[in-house]
Amino acid sequence: MRIGFDAKRYFLNKTGLGNYSRDLIRMLEKYAPENEYLKYTPKTGDQYINQPASQKNIRLPQGFINTTWPNIWRNQRIVRDLKKDKVDIYHGLSGEIPLGLAKAHIKSIVTIHDLIFLRHPELYHPIDRWIYKKKFKHACEASDRIVAISECTKNDIVDLFHIPEEKIDVVYQGCHEAFKTIKTEEQKANLREKLKLPQDFLLNVGTIEPRKNILPVVKAIKDLDIPLVIVGKPTRYYQEIMAYMQQNNMENRIFFFQGLAMEELAILYASATIFIYPSIYEGFGIPIIEALYSGTPVITSKMGVFPEAGGPTSCYIDPTNISEIKHAIISLLSDSSKRDEMIEKGLEFVQKFNDERVAKQMASIYASL
């Protein structure tokens, strides 16, 4: 079969949706090579176009109208190119599919990552909510199959868009191979020296925004002798964290980074004493998977999708309860045998998200169409 992908995020997004797109296509090319995979994108970014795996089967808009208005091409006129390329199935990797696929007799699949804009509308501008709802609802109704990245997201699709659950397949995300290799003590020591980090620290990874909810952790460690490393792009929420740090003389105990190379990030995960992820809501929570593959114990939220990602031996807390967060941190820091057990059991659990399994599941859905 010829599978066409909406690869805009593959080339132009360095984090969440981009990582999902790159990881999925990489897995499929390796473990389901019987299919041909075409990447459709309005343009390519410098970071990924130079990688050999990215240079295969790229399709860009052609002609004056399509190159001048690439969004129109991506949302509708792309169908002409799909027909010309004899694509059997088009897969929208980020909640969107173009108009007119069914009329062109092209089967379609859409991946829905989350419906946070409906579950927590206060986090989004009204215009953005309207656009997202229109696009996602159309994609769910018009596609032949829907891929949800978790049972939690599947339940939201059924509940909020009234889609029959038999139309939805749950296929979990994998993660980058960098997190799956054992890191040497020398690698860890070199990175700690480069970033000027202590031997022991808590780690949090994700955009620094209210939904990710890292401020309660900062408050929880105010009187604890453990630093916190936060990796992510700052938003206005960052100023709240800075204000609290300054009021409580914590500037030397909180470290902020962004733009780390993937290999450096993987070493940082493996170097952390505990990974802490007190997010309020996620479609899945890929940083939890990255931590488990890295052999790092996880503290995360007890509700929603997080137990799906963290498994039976991660530590679960109420992300709004500062004393509960503090108690969980103290408990794990003081019990190395408990941390070792969490590492061992976590590595066993996380194998359900391995590359081959994810690729075979997705290829099976393609074959069913």
Side-chain angles (χ1 to χ4, degrees):
M1 292 180 291
R2 301 195 100 191
I3 314 296
F5 291 103
D6 173 10
K8 177 181 177 180
R9 268 79 178 187
Y10 180 106
F11 290 105
L12 304 178
N13 186 315
K14 296 179 181 179
T15 55
L17 294 178
N19 288 335
Y20 171 80
S21 301
R22 287 184 291 275
D23 285 335
L24 178 61
I25 295 175
R26 171 183 59 79
M27 295 174 199
L28 287 166
E29 288 175 336
K30 180 175 181 179
Y31 293 106
E34 66 274 12
N35 298 321
E36 186 177 5
Y37 303 105
L38 309 182
K39 308 177 186 79
Y40 292 82
T41 180
K43 60 181 180 178
T44 56
D46 296 336
Q47 183 173 3
Y48 302 109
I49 190 62
N50 295 324
Q51 297 181 10
S54 298
Q55 295 174 7
K56 297 187 293 184
N57 294 333
I58 297 171
R59 299 292 190 270
L60 295 163
Q62 304 294 323
F64 176 77
I65 293 176
N66 293 338
T67 54
T68 305
W69 294 284
N71 284 339
I72 295 177
W73 172 77
R74 181 168 171 259
N75 293 326
Q76 188 168 2
R77 292 175 65 91
I78 190 176
V79 175
R80 300 180 186 182
D81 293 338
L82 299 176
K83 288 179 67 175
K84 179 181 174 183
D85 290 336
K86 298 181 179 179
V87 164
D88 297 296
I89 298 171
Y90 184 80
H91 189 163
L93 296 172
S94 55
E96 302 176 60
I97 60 171
L99 302 171
L101 289 173
K103 189 175 180 179
H105 305 293
I106 298 170
K107 297 289 187 178
S108 58
I109 296 174
V110 64
T111 294
I112 301 294
H113 296 263
D114 61 68
L115 298 180
I116 298 174
F117 61 93
L118 293 177
R119 285 296 185 202
H120 291 277
E122 72 279 4
L123 300 174
Y124 293 81
H125 190 281
I127 293 176
D128 291 334
R129 292 203 308 268
W130 182 83
I131 292 171
Y132 294 153
K133 183 176 180 180
K134 187 177 180 66
K135 285 182 176 181
F136 282 36
K137 194 169 190 294
H138 163 260
C140 287
E141 292 174 347
S143 62
D144 293 288
R145 300 294 302 172
I146 300 167
V147 168
I149 64 167
S150 67
E151 291 290 344
C152 183
T153 294
K154 176 182 177 178
N155 293 337
D156 281 352
I157 296 167
V158 173
D159 182 34
L160 299 171
F161 287 154
H162 310 296
I163 301 295
E165 63 176 305
E166 57 267 21
K167 185 179 179 178
I168 308 169
D169 299 289
V170 174
V171 181
Y172 290 112
Q173 291 181 257
C175 75
H176 196 280
E177 290 179 312
F179 299 95
K180 300 173 184 177
T181 58
I182 296 175
K183 307 301 185 292
T184 66
E185 292 304 317
E186 182 181 9
Q187 286 176 303
K188 296 176 186 179
N190 288 341
L191 185 66
R192 286 197 302 269
E193 183 178 356
K194 177 181 177 179
L195 301 180
K196 296 180 171 53
L197 295 177
Q199 179 78 28
D200 296 310
F201 58 88
L202 307 178
L203 175 65
N204 172 264
V205 177
T207 304
I208 305 169
E209 61 182 350
R211 177 168 59 87
K212 303 292 186 180
N213 192 47
I214 193 59
L215 182 55
V217 176
V218 176
K219 293 179 178 180
I221 66 169
K222 180 171 73 75
D223 300 318
L224 301 182
D225 186 22
I226 185 72
L228 171 65
V229 175
I230 302 172
V231 180
K233 180 181 177 181
T235 67
R236 283 184 294 180
Y237 182 66
Y238 169 79
Q239 299 303 325
E240 291 185 47
I241 298 170
M242 290 299 296
Y244 184 86
M245 288 166 50
Q246 290 165 1
Q247 290 168 7
N248 293 277
N249 300 315
M250 298 177 70
E251 293 95 331
N252 295 330
R253 296 174 47 213
I254 314 291
F255 301 81
F256 293 95
F257 301 101
Q258 61 175 315
L260 295 179
M262 190 66 75
E263 185 62 29
E264 287 182 324
L265 183 61
I267 296 171
L268 188 63
Y269 267 96
S271 303
T273 309
I274 298 169
F275 181 76
I276 188 158
Y277 198 67
S279 179
I280 300 297
Y281 189 95
E282 300 287 338
F284 182 53
I286 199 66
I288 296 173
I289 304 304
E290 293 168 344
L292 293 177
Y293 267 119
S294 301
T296 302
V298 171
I299 298 174
T300 189
S301 306
K302 65 173 65 171
M303 71 285 217
V305 74
F306 304 101
E308 277 189 74
T313 55
S314 289
C315 179
Y316 296 101
I317 44 86
D318 176 349
T320 64
N321 189 321
I322 295 170
S323 63
E324 192 172 320
I325 296 170
K326 181 178 180 180
H327 180 268
I329 293 170
I330 293 172
S331 177
L332 290 188
L333 287 177
S334 62
D335 192 343
S336 60
S337 62
K338 177 64 174 176
R339 296 199 306 272
D340 289 343
E341 180 187 3
M342 291 173 68
I343 291 169
E344 180 183 353
K345 298 294 185 183
L347 283 169
E348 291 177 10
F349 170 78
V350 83
Q351 299 311 310
K352 69 185 291 185
F353 309 115
N354 71 52
D355 290 2
E356 185 173 6
R357 180 170 179 170
V358 172
K360 294 298 185 184
Q361 280 182 278
M362 197 68 78
S364 177
I365 297 170
Y366 297 154
S368 73
L369 289 177

